[in-house]
Amino acid sequence: FGRDDRLFNRIKRKTGFYIEEEESMKELLREDSQMIFPETWKYTYKRKREFHSGLEQEQQAYNKNMKSKIIFFKNESTNYQQIEQYLKKIAKGFQKRCGYEIVQLIGKNERISYNALIESFGIKIEKVYKLDIIGKIIEWLSFFKTCVFFLFNKSGQKLVDYKIDKLPVGYALYDKIIRTQDRNTIDRLDIKKDFMEIYEGVLLYYSLKRIFRKEHPKYLLMMERGYQYYIYKLLALKNGAKVVRCHDIIAIDKFASFAENEREIATKGYKEINNVNINKYVNNYFNTYYKGKSDLSWVNYANYNRKDIEVEEAISKLNINRNKKSIFIMSHVLADAPHINSSMLYKDYYIALKETIKIASGIKNVNWILKMHPDCTGYPGPSGEELVYEFGCNNISILDKSFSNSVVFKLADAIITVQGTIGIEASARGIPVIITGKAWYADIGFTINAYTEEKYKYLLNNLYRIKPLKKEKTMLAKRWLCSYLIGYKILQASNDDFSKGIYDILDKEHIPEIQNRIVLNYLEDYMDKNDIRNVDIYKAALRLAKEDY
């Protein structure tokens, strides 16, 4: 096509283009190309016949997508007014670039707080749950579906596997239940506890399905993407909307899986590291890490106000035998949305920890240390620490959660995690890592992946022979950690004083009412002296809209 501009332009107007060879596609979309095409134009067809037979259908899909002039965003919580403010500023940035209408989706019993700033955005309110006849039919349909599900399904695993319209709605329902109830796993479904939770999730799905099919939004802006909010994301992606992640970074989530989107961030950074001193960059990261800080917001929070500990003191406290290998079991927050990340060997984080401790209890030739996640007490349900006592493990020490991960990097001969960030961090320190989930870094080549129980038991029983990572694997891990950090930095929305001030408040104050008051006062003071359109959150939305439009 590069040799025939008339043909190229004619086909381009038909929303797709025929490319004979895959290499031609790569050439057209190479990094230095100046051509920008909407996503609906990027197709590869092996044969012209396939192209022509699918052309009419793709034209209809394209026209439908182009008619959409709507940006949805979810009212995340009645308690978090500053989240509404944040999402509205990002939505306004997209609106300015694309001229789209902004629609805020609200659920049952949700209030909307208005002020002069919000009203100036001209935001339309859309109730998820309608009170008309169709809304009543959806309620009865959801009730019937829930009854049928309970009639034939009793186990937690059946809930994980539950799908509607081939979408894994069960992930959202399961994660919502363990997040709000005093349990970290579901063995058997309890009709008294779980029926309404599942019914509300099914009702949310069909109510949202109605809205998405009617409006066909171009974008869905979200902050929280787990639990019941995962249903918003699934339906947005199914209906061709682009899900914009609006949290510590502003980026488009192309995939339902959290892990795949994190891989995209790392890939974005990978293109920028050619002129970067990787060893220096990674060493600087760990130097600040040891001081309790990190460029990654969740790692920064996990390390905030944590104590460092000297190696000798740790050895004494943990009763470590210097003649044995030291293996750290890194616990996740057990109720923190395990299923939106990736597929896992075990049903959830709790079962993964339980089975690991059960296996480790019978292995006496290494030092076992359980490192609890620093945020484990912020969620309902047991922390998982009790499992050590349940199995009577006198060979597993527990590292106090008040200590930072720096001691792990200093003492560990190997690390076990499902899919935590610690996996790539430890690998970049030359520490071998066993993972039981398909983390974003799982298939790159520096982790030991255990996706069957037989392999996992074998690996744990042979950890006494574990050796440090080879230099080439350590360097590979450093390269991808550096890529991820740079990709994350590019997309970060806290690169100016205003945004950093907001994040400082969110990091240091966790009581919603106090947090709201401080943030809103901060915002009011800023607007008295500055133009809100100059803040980096707003500009980041403009950049992303420009890049995507």
Side-chain angles (χ1 to χ4, degrees):
F1 278 164
R3 293 190 295 270
D4 191 338
D5 291 337
R6 289 174 300 173
L7 178 60
F8 179 85
N9 289 329
R10 182 163 62 84
I11 299 298
K12 187 175 72 171
R13 285 195 297 271
K14 295 289 188 179
T15 78
F17 54 85
Y18 166 68
I19 295 178
E20 193 76 51
E21 301 291 340
E22 183 65 19
E23 288 304 314
S24 301
M25 169 69 88
K26 292 178 181 178
E27 178 67 14
L28 278 174
L29 301 177
R30 67 186 187 275
E31 188 175 342
D32 60 346
S33 174
Q34 298 301 307
M35 290 183 289
I36 301 175
F37 301 100
E39 286 293 328
T40 46
W41 290 356
K42 296 176 184 176
Y43 292 96
T44 303
Y45 294 91
K46 294 180 181 178
R47 293 183 296 274
K48 288 184 179 181
R49 185 179 63 183
E50 293 178 6
F51 170 75
H52 288 293
S53 64
L55 191 58
E56 184 177 348
Q57 182 180 352
E58 297 301 337
Q59 176 73 61
Q60 292 172 356
Y62 173 75
N63 290 339
K64 185 187 201 178
N65 201 26
M66 289 299 102
K67 286 178 182 177
S68 171
K69 293 288 184 181
I70 295 174
I71 303 170
F72 278 174
F73 73 92
K74 171 70 182 74
N75 183 38
E76 302 276 333
S77 167
T78 57
N79 291 328
Y80 290 90
Q81 297 173 14
Q82 78 281 358
I83 294 178
E84 290 182 28
Q85 306 274 15
Y86 179 56
L87 291 176
K88 287 178 175 73
K89 284 193 282 290
I90 297 171
K92 185 64 177 176
F94 276 87
Q95 185 186 54
K96 182 177 178 66
R97 173 67 188 178
C98 308
Y100 289 177
E101 179 183 13
I102 302 174
V103 177
Q104 180 169 5
L105 300 174
I106 61 169
K108 293 179 179 178
N109 304 317
E110 290 182 338
R111 296 181 293 105
I112 304 298
S113 55
Y114 288 100
N115 59 28
L117 172 66
I118 297 174
E119 290 174 346
S120 71
F121 287 166
I123 293 169
K124 177 184 174 183
I125 303 301
E126 181 82 33
K127 291 183 178 180
V128 173
Y129 305 99
K130 313 289 187 184
L131 299 178
D132 57 6
I133 294 176
I134 297 177
K136 292 297 181 183
I137 293 172
I138 288 174
E139 287 183 3
W140 280 104
L141 172 65
S142 302
F143 182 79
F144 174 75
K145 285 268 188 181
T146 307
C147 290
V148 171
F149 175 81
F150 262 91
L151 184 62
F152 295 103
N153 302 283
K154 306 296 183 184
S155 70
Q157 186 59 54
K158 290 290 186 181
L159 181 58
V160 173
D161 297 336
Y162 181 51
K163 294 182 179 181
I164 304 177
D165 299 332
K166 299 182 180 180
L167 297 179
V169 175
Y171 291 176
L173 303 180
Y174 190 105
D175 289 357
K176 172 67 161 44
I177 289 173
I178 64 173
R179 178 67 179 88
T180 55
Q181 298 184 16
D182 192 21
R183 52 178 169 166
N184 291 322
T185 189
I186 303 173
D187 293 323
R188 298 281 295 176
L189 291 168
D190 185 325
I191 194 166
K192 291 182 179 179
K193 290 182 178 180
D194 303 331
F195 185 90
M196 283 305 297
E197 296 272 14
I198 294 173
Y199 164 72
E200 287 175 0
V202 175
L203 176 60
L204 175 63
Y205 177 87
Y206 284 109
S207 299
L208 283 174
K209 180 180 178 180
R210 178 187 179 188
I211 294 172
F212 275 95
R213 290 179 68 176
K214 177 184 175 183
E215 303 290 355
H216 301 291
K218 176 70 174 177
Y219 295 103
L220 171 66
L221 275 55
M222 303 184 71
M223 181 170 279
E224 176 60 73
R225 296 164 295 151
Y227 315 111
Q228 70 273 29
Y229 303 120
Y230 187 59
I231 295 173
Y232 285 79
K233 183 176 181 179
L234 289 174
L235 279 165
L237 293 173
K238 179 181 175 67
N239 286 275
K242 297 189 177 181
V243 177
V244 183
R245 171 180 175 179
C246 309
H247 195 259
D248 42 358
I249 64 173
I250 299 178
I252 290 178
D253 275 3
K254 296 180 180 179
F255 308 99
S257 162
F258 180 84
E260 289 181 275
N261 291 306
E262 298 306 288
R263 184 71 167 259
E264 281 284 303
I265 294 173
T267 303
K268 189 178 188 74
Y270 200 85
K271 299 174 182 178
E272 308 294 330
I273 65 173
N274 290 333
N275 298 320
V276 175
N277 185 325
I278 294 173
N279 282 315
K280 184 178 179 180
Y281 198 99
V282 171
N283 287 339
N284 287 339
Y285 171 77
F286 283 107
N287 287 337
T288 57
Y289 190 107
Y290 293 150
K291 296 175 183 177
K293 296 181 179 180
S294 171
D295 291 335
L296 306 177
S297 61
W298 62 95
V299 177
N300 192 45
Y301 174 71
N303 284 331
Y304 179 71
N305 206 26
R306 306 293 166 190
K307 296 182 288 186
D308 200 358
I309 185 173
E310 296 298 327
V311 171
E312 293 302 321
E313 184 184 355
I315 290 173
S316 175
K317 280 181 176 289
L318 297 171
N319 196 26
I320 289 175
N321 184 336
R322 293 175 181 272
N323 296 319
K324 296 180 180 179
K325 304 284 187 182
S326 294
I327 314 300
F328 279 77
I329 303 168
M330 305 300 291
S331 175
H332 289 258
V333 177
L334 302 181
D336 188 17
H339 295 99
I340 69 163
N341 287 285
S342 67
S343 58
M344 302 179 291
L345 172 59
Y346 295 106
K347 182 173 62 180
D348 52 44
Y349 290 147
Y350 181 85
I351 298 299
L353 181 60
K354 181 178 180 179
E355 292 300 316
T356 301
I357 291 175
K358 184 178 178 181
I359 298 168
S361 66
I363 302 172
K364 312 291 186 180
N365 55 8
V366 297
N367 298 307
W368 293 103
I369 302 103
L370 173 61
K371 173 67 167 66
M372 304 307 300
H373 194 283
D375 198 28
C376 63
T377 55
Y379 290 70
S383 67
E385 187 175 322
E386 73 284 350
L387 291 170
V388 174
Y389 308 107
E390 179 182 327
F391 288 100
C393 303
N394 55 11
N395 64 324
I396 300 179
S397 302
I398 300 174
L399 180 62
D400 193 309
K401 60 180 175 291
S402 64
F403 293 112
S404 74
N405 283 344
S406 60
V407 67
V408 179
F409 298 132
K410 294 172 185 175
L411 286 177
D413 291 294
I415 282 174
I416 298 170
T417 181
V418 178
Q419 52 196 1
T421 307
I422 190 73
I424 189 168
E425 291 171 333
S427 298
R429 303 294 294 176
I431 303 168
V433 175
I434 297 175
I435 59 174
T436 57
K438 294 189 177 180
W440 70 263
Y441 52 80
D443 299 322
I444 296 174
F446 51 79
T447 54
I448 304 169
N449 304 338
Y451 298 148
T452 66
E453 291 191 58
E454 292 76 15
K455 183 176 181 180
Y456 191 46
K457 290 176 182 178
Y458 173 81
L459 289 170
L460 266 55
N461 275 285
N462 286 276
L463 282 173
Y464 70 96
R465 299 188 297 182
I466 198 76
K467 295 180 181 179
L469 281 184
K470 293 181 179 180
K471 288 184 178 180
E472 56 269 25
K473 288 194 174 184
T474 301
M475 193 61 208
L476 181 62
K478 284 184 177 181
R479 189 173 186 84
W480 276 98
L481 175 59
C482 183
S483 300
Y484 183 69
L485 293 171
I486 290 174
Y488 186 87
K489 187 71 174 174
I490 291 170
L491 299 170
Q492 210 163 19
S494 58
N495 294 319
D496 64 347
D497 291 339
F498 171 82
S499 304
K500 286 176 182 177
I502 292 287
Y503 278 100
D504 284 344
I505 294 169
L506 300 182
D507 281 340
K508 293 176 183 177
E509 181 54 65
H510 302 292
I511 300 174
E513 291 77 12
I514 299 175
Q515 198 180 65
N516 287 336
R517 186 170 63 252
I518 296 173
V519 169
L520 291 173
N521 287 339
Y522 179 83
L523 178 62
E524 187 177 2
D525 291 342
Y526 183 90
M527 289 180 63
D528 285 341
K529 304 171 186 177
N530 304 278
D531 188 339
I532 197 69
R533 291 172 295 184
N534 292 328
V535 303
D536 201 56
I537 293 172
Y538 185 87
K539 290 179 178 178
L542 282 178
R543 288 194 298 269
L544 183 59
K546 181 178 179 181
E547 176 184 312
D548 184 58
Y549 191 55

